[in-house]
Amino acid sequence: MRARRAVMAGERETILRQWEMLRRIPRYPVKTTTAELHASLVKAGYQVTKRTVERDLERLTVPFPLLADERSKPFGWSWRADAPGLTIPGLTLSQALTFQLVEQHLRPLLPPAVLAELQPAFALAAARLAEAGPTRRSWVDKVRVVSPTQTLRVPPIAPEVQRTLYEALLTDHQVQIRYLKPGEKSPITYEAVHPLGLVQRGAVLYLVCTFFGYTDPFLLVLHRMKTVTALEVPVVRPPDFDLDAYIASGRMGFGEGKTIRLELWLDADAARHLTETPLSEDQRLTPTCDGRVQVNATVPETEQLRWWILGFGEKAEVVKPIRLRKAMAGTARNLALRYGAEPRQINAAGNGAHGSIEEAWRP
DNA sequence: TCAGATGATAAACGCCACTA
DNA sequence: TAGTGGCGTTTATCATCTGA
């Protein structure tokens, strides 16, 4: 009886040690050696010989997808690249769901190498949701992220371009980019581009970068890049550059980084959502005498702001700044011209007739 | 200067004895 | 009886030497 108990204690020790070993073996292409594993286990308090580690590895290769690179000594041990993750305790349903959401929505932003590393976790999450049964599996069908604006198709990005650029961004190295500007027939070459950040805006991925020795950040669109070549030269970051501050300045909305004090009159129903999702920290909403709502807020002056206001149609009226009001009035005039003309007239005249419609429109 | 030979060292593995 | 340590053998790698 006492002997059996001692054997069981030994078995438990062996299982714990082998479990520790499995945790210490990296995923391919990273490898570890028997000596490294042995040193690591000894450090963790498992006083065994290297010979035992060798035997353990040999045994574990049968039930687990382990690889031994025997092309040279010492052998390199690793988990197979496609091996499922080894996690105890297993993923909870909410963790599995989170992984699925991450996979769906961050895939365009994650470097291919990072995605490859996370692939086993994604597979584990999918398996966890699948094994939860039909009722729980429907979780996946119950959660969606939708765009508040018109959905556009994602433009294709060359995998090699994306891989090289992400790698350079991760390791802070300069790149050479062949870039096809819209309307151009042949690409131009930017010799030494300093990647500073990556921003997804709707369906488009932008590289925030500097080049030509300028410190003012510039935007390049990933799907217009024809080739990206990594350079062995470190990135020089502008000392005061901050990606969050850059985005907050409104540059991603195609502005000049200026802010304006906006006064906008909105129909009450159109203004309702601003009570829950304000335009800015200092936003003020004031009812007007004609039943509308006066919105005052400090916002970046961008094209995106104009598109947002135009999206309300006749329900929005810009009061201040005057410059923006005039721009909106101009857009409205042109719209009235377009919609006032018969489609046949537009086809015949190319851009339509103006006279009577121009006169009929009163700001 | 370079290719081949040689020796030292390290790693892998087989085998045997011990132990709980 | 399974797990382990330890020893001997085999093999690979690397540094050094030698001769063309």
Side-chain angles (χ1 to χ4, degrees):
Chain A
M1 187 65 184
R2 192 183 300 167
R4 179 65 200 143
R5 204 173 293 145
V7 167
M8 282 175 73
E11 281 174 2
R12 194 163 56 236
E13 180 77 4
T14 304
I15 290 169
L16 286 173
R17 187 187 66 242
Q18 292 179 345
W19 175 252
E20 282 297 324
M21 264 175 82
L22 289 171
R23 285 181 52 203
R24 284 166 162 76
I25 297 172
R27 187 174 297 278
Y28 183 85
V30 183
K31 297 170 217 168
T32 189
T33 64
T34 310
E36 286 168 348
L37 277 172
H38 177 238
S40 172
L41 287 171
V42 168
K43 201 174 173 184
Y46 295 94
Q47 297 298 333
V48 287
T49 61
K50 195 158 148 279
R51 184 72 192 95
T52 299
V53 174
E54 288 167 359
R55 269 195 291 257
D56 282 347
L57 282 169
E58 199 178 308
R59 260 179 259 165
L60 291 169
T61 308
V62 179
F64 294 101
L66 300 180
L67 288 175
D69 184 354
E70 299 178 356
R71 287 173 298 180
S72 66
K73 285 184 176 179
F75 298 169
W77 289 89
S78 57
W79 282 90
R80 248 177 33 202
D82 60 347
L86 192 67
T87 56
I88 286 179
L91 284 176
T92 65
L93 275 173
S94 61
Q95 285 170 335
L97 185 66
T98 305
F99 266 114
Q100 285 236 324
L101 288 172
V102 166
E103 186 185 12
Q104 281 177 34
H105 302 292
L106 290 185
R107 181 169 281 278
L109 284 176
L110 293 174
V114 175
L115 267 179
E117 274 182 34
L118 286 174
Q119 204 53 52
F122 294 151
L124 205 65
R128 179 73 184 90
L129 289 170
E131 77 188 17
T135 310
R136 298 300 183 90
R137 192 161 54 228
S138 64
W139 257 109
V140 184
D141 303 321
K142 291 174 180 171
V143 181
R144 287 292 180 272
V145 175
V146 296
S147 168
T149 58
Q150 175 61 41
T151 306
L152 302 173
R153 290 183 66 85
V154 177
I157 300 167
E160 190 56 28
V161 162
Q162 191 181 26
R163 192 190 62 74
T164 311
L165 191 64
Y166 282 21
E167 192 66 32
L169 198 60
L170 270 178
T171 58
D172 272 333
H173 278 89
Q174 296 181 31
V175 288
Q176 183 196 66
I177 298 176
R178 285 178 62 242
Y179 190 81
L180 187 64
K181 286 184 171 181
E184 299 287 333
K185 285 183 180 166
S186 53
I188 59 168
T189 302
Y190 295 120
E191 291 296 343
V193 179
H194 302 248
L196 302 177
L198 194 70
V199 180
Q200 183 172 24
R201 183 178 175 278
V204 179
L205 272 169
Y206 295 87
L207 175 72
V208 185
C209 58
T210 57
F211 45 56
F212 296 140
Y214 294 109
T215 54
D216 205 22
F218 203 81
L219 287 176
L220 293 178
V221 180
L222 262 68
H223 65 262
R224 292 184 196 145
M225 295 177 186
K226 295 297 148 191
T227 61
V228 174
T229 310
L231 305 175
E232 290 300 316
V233 187
V235 161
V236 179
R237 291 178 79 84
D240 54 347
F241 177 78
D242 178 81
L243 190 59
D244 288 329
Y246 179 77
I247 294 168
S249 73
R251 304 290 180 91
M252 292 303 301
F254 306 111
E256 298 297 320
K258 294 176 189 164
T259 56
I260 55 171
R261 186 69 190 157
L262 177 70
E263 182 179 331
L264 180 71
W265 286 33
L266 280 175
D267 282 9
D269 61 322
R272 193 163 296 123
H273 75 287
L274 290 180
T275 61
E276 293 165 344
T277 51
L279 272 173
S280 67
E281 288 284 332
D282 66 351
Q283 173 187 287
R284 271 192 304 116
L285 302 178
T286 315
T288 63
C289 52
D290 61 357
R292 291 190 286 175
V293 174
Q294 179 182 328
V295 183
N296 292 88
T298 306
V299 291
E301 184 178 14
T302 62
E303 280 300 312
Q304 194 164 358
L305 175 69
R306 295 184 185 201
W307 297 340
W308 177 74
I309 294 171
L310 286 170
F312 290 107
E314 76 282 1
K315 293 181 177 178
E317 179 188 351
V318 174
V319 179
K320 289 176 185 171
I322 297 299
R323 185 178 69 256
L324 183 58
R325 179 181 173 85
K326 283 183 177 172
M328 289 291 163
T331 303
R333 256 196 304 276
N334 293 336
L335 272 174
L337 265 169
R338 283 278 160 87
Y339 286 107
E342 290 295 322
R344 201 180 302 158
Q345 283 177 287
I346 293 170
N347 289 340
N351 59 355
H354 303 125
S356 60
I357 300 158
E358 180 87 287
E359 284 164 17
W361 191 84
R362 292 286 180 272

